[in-house]
Amino acid sequence: MFILICISADFDPVHKGHGKLIKEARKIADNESKKLVVYLNKGFSANHAPFFVDFDARSEMALALGADEIKSFEGLHHRLVLSYSVPIRLTQMINDGASDYITSASISLDEISQKAQKFIAEGNFVGMPKNYTNRNEIRWYALNEFLGSKLKFHIVKELDKDKYSGRLIRQSIIDNDYTITSKIRKLLPKSTVEILEREIDNNNIDLGRNWTDIYKRMNTYSRGNLSKIAYLNGETINQIIKKRVYSNPESVWATFRRSNYGPVMTRLAISSIEMDVTKQEVMELMKSYEAEGVIPEMQKVSKVIDRAWYVATKTNEGMSAREANNNFRQGNVEDVNAPLSIDAGLNLTRFETKIMKEGLNADLYVDKNNKISVQLKSEGKKIKTNLRLPAREVTYLRYILDSHFIPVSGKTKKDKKGFKINVKIA
């Protein structure tokens, strides 16, 4: 027996729009003697937020409407953006024996296919345009085609998104002191209402974030330690430090707005802070999936590094960053051979030079004046100083530091004229 996969949103909670999707999937499954399996995200939602309803309750809601089995995707959405988590989830479903994929959309399968062709041709699924209707469905379709999957796509016409919205349903329940109003009841299957009311009575709803740990890290971590956390760039880290002290969620959100983070990236960054996710951890996770042939070539860690070096080199020669990026995305580049080790000079005082030693660990960060700097300790003394580098290397390192998931480390190195920092990338 093959499996028919049904995926839509996070089912948080399951509303009548999800019910329609499961009903249509059930028809196909029954007609073709297939099994209907619903994959639910666990831990964090696809939009990088904590769940309102826990996994077991959401599973119960989906089973009540006709699913045969529930499987989970776990450990991805506080570590990876959708362009990386989608191919991982697709591969898991295929390995589980999936033959079909069903989702809801307001546009047709033909329209989805047409919009997906650009991304399939480039082999890069980062930065899906925000003005694309059903862009997540386009991403799933494009990656399915790109990976050479045999999954057959089915599209169910979605219900009114402004009405059947999990976010609005959750907000209404919160705003009404955790009661389900008559208006919201009309949007939910009877089984969902019963499960929701039980979970509310058991105080097992809207568990939220661990704000205590988030505030602690944002209030106390140095620039160097914040630079190790995934999805924080130099500008954002400086905003975090500038706006300390944090004591409420709105102050946290405001800092990311000032750093020009959109809602989705803000949720991912906050989730990474909450779970203390490092760039090293994310990179190693990506490389493990690269080894399995899951990550598209243009999204591999090595390609992200090569692009940073290529753009830094070309902009140093007078080309615009936009043109250089486009050239790289289209494959119109020679061998890049980006350096993974760079020696950088230091600006040290006489006293700092005297206490400096070889082999000391150094944290790299972007200082408040937007300069690449290091922080280290020697003989119990803290040393902070800017790095001295050629313009190309400065641009390259800045791209890497702002890459969200490429770790950078440094060690002191004895030189004929004093000391340098040997910078290691990835």
Side-chain angles (χ1 to χ4, degrees), residues 23 48 54-55 94 96 103-104 108 112 124 128 151 161 171 265 276 304 319 333 345 371 380 390 397:
K23 182 179 179 181
H48 320 298
D54 76 11
F55 178 80
I94 294 162
D96 286 346
T103 189
S104 58
S108 69
I112 288 172
N124 192 331
M128 191 72 65
L151 281 184
K161 260 190 172 180
Q171 194 60 54
M265 279 304 298
D276 209 11
V304 175
M319 184 184 289
V333 300
K371 295 188 179 296
L397 268 185

Side-chain angles (χ1 to χ4, degrees), residues 128-147:
M128 191 72 65
K130 292 181 180 179
N131 63 346
Y132 271 20
T133 303
N134 298 122
R135 60 181 176 155
N136 194 42
E137 286 68 32
I138 295 167
R139 181 184 284 112
W140 276 87
Y141 181 91
L143 276 158
N144 181 63
E145 293 289 311
F146 181 79
L147 294 171

Side-chain angles (χ1 to χ4, degrees), residues 92-190:
Q92 181 178 326
M93 292 189 300
I94 294 162
N95 290 341
D96 286 346
S99 61
D100 301 72
Y101 175 91
I102 184 166
T103 189
S104 58
S106 61
I107 60 178
S108 69
L109 184 57
D110 284 344
E111 291 175 279
I112 288 172
S113 174
Q114 184 180 12
K115 284 185 165 61
Q117 296 311 310
K118 172 181 180 291
F119 304 97
I120 296 169
E122 288 184 356
N124 192 331
F125 306 90
V126 179
M128 191 72 65
K130 292 181 180 179
N131 63 346
Y132 271 20
T133 303
N134 298 122
R135 60 181 176 155
N136 194 42
E137 286 68 32
I138 295 167
R139 181 184 284 112
W140 276 87
Y141 181 91
L143 276 158
N144 181 63
E145 293 289 311
F146 181 79
L147 294 171
S149 164
K150 301 297 184 183
L151 281 184
K152 182 180 179 181
F153 262 64
H154 305 266
I155 299 296
V156 174
K157 186 71 173 178
E158 69 183 359
L159 300 180
D160 184 355
K161 260 190 172 180
D162 292 332
K163 183 178 180 182
Y164 292 91
S165 160
R167 180 181 60 82
L168 295 178
I169 290 168
R170 295 190 296 270
Q171 194 60 54
S172 171
I173 293 172
I174 294 169
D175 291 345
N176 287 282
D177 197 24
Y178 293 92
T179 59
I180 305 171
T181 64
S182 58
K183 180 180 178 181
I184 295 300
R185 284 174 183 270
K186 294 176 182 177
L187 306 178
L188 303 174
K190 182 181 177 182

Side-chain angles (χ1 to χ4, degrees), residues 339-353:
L340 300 181
S341 178
I342 295 175
D343 286 340
L346 296 168
N347 294 309
L348 299 173
T349 65
R350 185 176 298 176
F351 172 74
E352 289 170 342
T353 302

